[in-house]
Each structure stands twice: as C-alpha cells, then as structure tokens.
Amino acid sequence: MIKDKQLKWNINDGISAFRKNGNAVLLDVRREEEFSAGYIAGAINVPLQEIEDVEEVVFGKNTLIYVYCRSGVRSAQAVTALRYMGYTNVIDLGGILDYYGEIVR
C-alpha cells in the first residue's frame, strides 16, 4: 500500500515498474482527443472529468494504479480523486511530456 499521499515518480521509472507488474493499471487521464493523438502502450483512458468512471475498468480498490496526463497537473488531481474514491495504491507519474519511450499513435 502507498502510504505517502504525495508520492510522485519519474514517468520513465514508473512505466518500467508498470511493465514489470502484470496486475497494475496504467491510467491516462487526458481528454479523449489527446489520448487518440498518442499514448503510452498499455494505457487505459479515463479523462479526469470522468474519473468516477474508473470503477468500470479498475475493480479492486487495492489495484496498483499508475496515473499520468500531459504535464502532471491533472494526474495529481486524479490521484487525489482516486484516493477519495477508496483506491489505496495510486502513484502519480506526472506528464507524458517527460516520457522518453515510444508513443502509440
């Protein structure tokens, strides 16, 4: 369980950790148009404005969730909202702008 509510990882390290954990979820909270323009492989898109819909794709409240957006602002807001909803293992990766890996287009 993530105990530090302000925990934020480097997005590149976070994606490596996500890929090693087959049970984790990579959550992209950008708008659908942004997601369609390019996203990190394996990501699920639930826009911040619709964050309550995450319950339709992430069923266990203890599921490890890595969250990213464009610059890190929305991911931080999403992490706060997810914790309020009862999700306990949520990690803020910040923004895709800092990601060095391949983007799915």
Side-chain angles (χ1 to χ4, degrees), residues 8-75:
K8 186 168 185 170
W9 288 21
N10 169 292
I11 191 166
N12 298 290
D13 294 339
I15 296 304
S16 292
F18 162 73
R19 290 192 174 128
K20 292 176 186 171
N21 186 330
N23 298 320
V25 171
L26 180 59
L27 188 64
D28 182 322
V29 296
R30 297 176 299 154
R31 293 184 321 271
E32 290 178 26
E33 314 81 68
E34 293 174 290
F35 183 79
S36 296
Y39 59 92
I40 299 170
I44 297 170
N45 182 230
V46 177
L48 177 61
Q49 302 86 332
E50 302 165 15
I51 198 65
E52 66 279 352
D53 293 344
V54 77
E55 295 178 332
E56 297 174 15
V57 293
V58 181
F59 303 108
K61 297 289 184 169
N62 293 323
T63 301
L64 179 55
I65 306 172
Y66 295 94
V67 183
Y68 76 91
C69 63
R70 180 181 173 277
S71 66
V73 174
R74 287 175 282 181
S75 64

Side-chain angles (χ1 to χ4, degrees), residues 90-104:
V90 186
I91 297 173
D92 182 3
L93 297 183
I96 196 171
L97 292 175
D98 295 322
Y99 182 59
Y100 298 124
E102 291 186 34
I103 301 294
V104 177

